[in-house]
Tab-separated table of all heavy atoms in Angstrom:
chain	number	residue	atom	x	y	z
A	1295	LEU	N	134.433	-79.851	191.284
A	1295	LEU	CA	134.862	-78.527	191.854
A	1295	LEU	C	134.243	-77.361	191.188
A	1295	LEU	O	133.804	-76.474	191.841
A	1295	LEU	CB	136.449	-78.429	191.862
A	1295	LEU	CG	136.955	-77.288	192.489
A	1295	LEU	CD1	136.476	-77.072	194.003
A	1295	LEU	CD2	138.478	-77.325	192.551
A	1296	ARG	N	134.284	-77.479	189.789
A	1296	ARG	CA	133.614	-76.381	189.003
A	1296	ARG	C	132.145	-76.139	189.373
A	1296	ARG	O	131.670	-75.051	189.580
A	1296	ARG	CB	133.707	-76.756	187.530
A	1296	ARG	CG	133.200	-75.574	186.595
A	1296	ARG	CD	133.341	-76.255	185.162
A	1296	ARG	NE	133.304	-75.024	184.327
A	1296	ARG	CZ	133.459	-75.220	182.908
A	1296	ARG	NH1	133.575	-76.367	182.370
A	1296	ARG	NH2	133.450	-74.101	182.189
A	1297	SER	N	131.473	-77.279	189.466
A	1297	SER	CA	130.018	-77.175	189.864
A	1297	SER	C	129.830	-76.551	191.291
A	1297	SER	O	128.967	-75.769	191.519
A	1297	SER	CB	129.489	-78.600	189.791
A	1297	SER	OG	128.105	-78.614	190.187
A	1298	ASP	N	130.694	-77.061	192.142
A	1298	ASP	CA	130.636	-76.367	193.607
A	1298	ASP	C	130.914	-74.995	193.661
A	1298	ASP	O	130.124	-74.251	194.309
A	1298	ASP	CB	131.561	-77.167	194.564
A	1298	ASP	CG	130.985	-78.596	194.827
A	1298	ASP	OD1	129.908	-78.950	194.508
A	1298	ASP	OD2	131.884	-79.436	195.334
A	1299	LEU	N	131.887	-74.524	192.908
A	1299	LEU	CA	132.259	-73.148	192.875
A	1299	LEU	C	131.189	-72.295	192.165
A	1299	LEU	O	130.921	-71.169	192.706
A	1299	LEU	CB	133.636	-72.897	192.230
A	1299	LEU	CG	134.791	-73.438	193.010
A	1299	LEU	CD1	136.074	-73.445	192.110
A	1299	LEU	CD2	135.072	-72.511	194.276
A	1300	GLN	N	130.547	-72.742	191.106
A	1300	GLN	CA	129.543	-72.071	190.424
A	1300	GLN	C	128.292	-71.979	191.341
A	1300	GLN	O	127.675	-70.939	191.328
A	1300	GLN	CB	129.136	-72.759	189.185
A	1300	GLN	CG	130.100	-72.571	188.123
A	1300	GLN	CD	129.944	-73.469	186.809
A	1300	GLN	OE1	129.414	-74.539	186.880
A	1300	GLN	NE2	130.380	-73.014	185.638
A	1301	ALA	N	128.101	-72.963	192.247
A	1301	ALA	CA	126.883	-72.923	193.112
A	1301	ALA	C	126.954	-71.865	194.146
A	1301	ALA	O	125.928	-71.379	194.665
A	1301	ALA	CB	126.850	-74.319	193.770
A	1302	VAL	N	128.182	-71.396	194.472
A	1302	VAL	CA	128.411	-70.316	195.354
A	1302	VAL	C	128.631	-68.982	194.691
A	1302	VAL	O	129.170	-68.000	195.284
A	1302	VAL	CB	129.458	-70.587	196.436
A	1302	VAL	CG1	129.085	-71.774	197.359
A	1302	VAL	CG2	130.915	-70.806	195.858
A	1303	GLY	N	128.369	-68.930	193.458
A	1303	GLY	CA	128.479	-67.616	192.608
A	1303	GLY	C	129.692	-67.410	191.834
A	1303	GLY	O	129.814	-66.339	191.190
A	1304	ALA	N	130.657	-68.157	191.754
A	1304	ALA	CA	131.946	-68.055	191.022
A	1304	ALA	C	131.769	-68.263	189.497
A	1304	ALA	O	130.801	-69.214	189.137
A	1304	ALA	CB	133.042	-68.831	191.554
A	1305	GLU	N	132.429	-67.601	188.759
A	1305	GLU	CA	132.577	-67.917	187.349
A	1305	GLU	C	133.849	-68.674	187.096
A	1305	GLU	O	134.835	-68.274	187.537
A	1305	GLU	CB	132.735	-66.594	186.567
A	1305	GLU	CG	132.799	-66.840	184.946
A	1305	GLU	CD	133.049	-65.691	184.173
A	1305	GLU	OE1	132.977	-64.523	184.694
A	1305	GLU	OE2	133.328	-65.696	182.943
A	1306	VAL	N	133.626	-69.876	186.651
A	1306	VAL	CA	134.678	-70.924	186.637
A	1306	VAL	C	135.095	-71.146	185.128
A	1306	VAL	O	134.227	-71.262	184.379
A	1306	VAL	CB	134.264	-72.131	187.332
A	1306	VAL	CG1	135.541	-73.162	187.286
A	1306	VAL	CG2	133.951	-71.893	188.720
A	1307	VAL	N	136.465	-71.141	184.967
A	1307	VAL	CA	136.866	-71.247	183.569
A	1307	VAL	C	137.897	-72.461	183.551
A	1307	VAL	O	138.728	-72.558	184.479
A	1307	VAL	CB	137.651	-69.930	183.129
A	1307	VAL	CG1	138.272	-70.071	181.725
A	1307	VAL	CG2	136.680	-68.787	183.273
A	1308	VAL	N	137.871	-73.176	182.456
A	1308	VAL	CA	138.913	-74.358	182.345
A	1308	VAL	C	139.409	-74.036	180.879
A	1308	VAL	O	138.827	-73.425	180.048
A	1308	VAL	CB	138.173	-75.647	182.422
A	1308	VAL	CG1	137.842	-75.885	183.986
A	1308	VAL	CG2	137.193	-75.986	181.533
A	1309	GLN	N	140.426	-74.706	180.515
A	1309	GLN	CA	141.124	-74.652	179.241
A	1309	GLN	C	140.185	-74.891	178.102
A	1309	GLN	O	140.241	-74.171	177.111
A	1309	GLN	CB	142.231	-75.607	179.138
A	1309	GLN	CG	142.966	-75.716	177.762
A	1309	GLN	CD	144.121	-76.674	177.786
A	1309	GLN	OE1	144.702	-77.071	178.789
A	1309	GLN	NE2	144.427	-77.103	176.556
A	1310	GLU	N	139.231	-75.813	178.283
A	1310	GLU	CA	138.383	-76.049	177.117
A	1310	GLU	C	137.350	-74.971	176.887
A	1310	GLU	O	136.716	-74.913	175.910
A	1310	GLU	CB	137.587	-77.395	177.393
A	1310	GLU	CG	138.450	-78.582	177.417
A	1310	GLU	CD	139.089	-78.903	178.659
A	1310	GLU	OE1	138.999	-78.152	179.610
A	1310	GLU	OE2	139.779	-80.025	178.845
A	1311	ASP	N	137.241	-73.936	177.793
A	1311	ASP	CA	136.338	-72.928	177.557
A	1311	ASP	C	136.812	-71.774	176.634
A	1311	ASP	O	135.920	-70.957	176.279
A	1311	ASP	CB	135.942	-72.303	178.910
A	1311	ASP	CG	135.141	-73.121	179.839
A	1311	ASP	OD1	134.585	-74.054	179.303
A	1311	ASP	OD2	135.107	-72.867	180.911
A	1312	PHE	N	138.039	-71.690	176.275
A	1312	PHE	CA	138.436	-70.481	175.656
A	1312	PHE	C	137.969	-70.580	174.159
A	1312	PHE	O	137.672	-71.549	173.622
A	1312	PHE	CB	140.033	-70.329	175.594
A	1312	PHE	CG	140.888	-71.317	174.896
A	1312	PHE	CD1	140.881	-71.448	173.483
A	1312	PHE	CD2	141.542	-72.296	175.574
A	1312	PHE	CE1	141.609	-72.413	172.841
A	1312	PHE	CE2	142.310	-73.206	174.954
A	1312	PHE	CZ	142.329	-73.209	173.533
A	1313	THR	N	137.795	-69.407	173.748
A	1313	THR	CA	137.227	-69.281	172.288
A	1313	THR	C	138.492	-69.172	171.250
A	1313	THR	O	139.585	-68.606	171.581
A	1313	THR	CB	136.403	-67.986	172.057
A	1313	THR	OG1	137.092	-66.881	172.401
A	1313	THR	CG2	135.141	-68.243	172.838
Side-chain angles (χ1 to χ4, degrees):
L1295 182 55
R1296 181 184 205 176
S1297 178
D1298 289 347
L1299 289 168
Q1300 287 173 330
V1302 295
E1305 178 184 354
V1306 181
V1307 180
V1308 297
Q1309 177 180 334
E1310 291 87 356
D1311 290 342
F1312 69 72
T1313 57

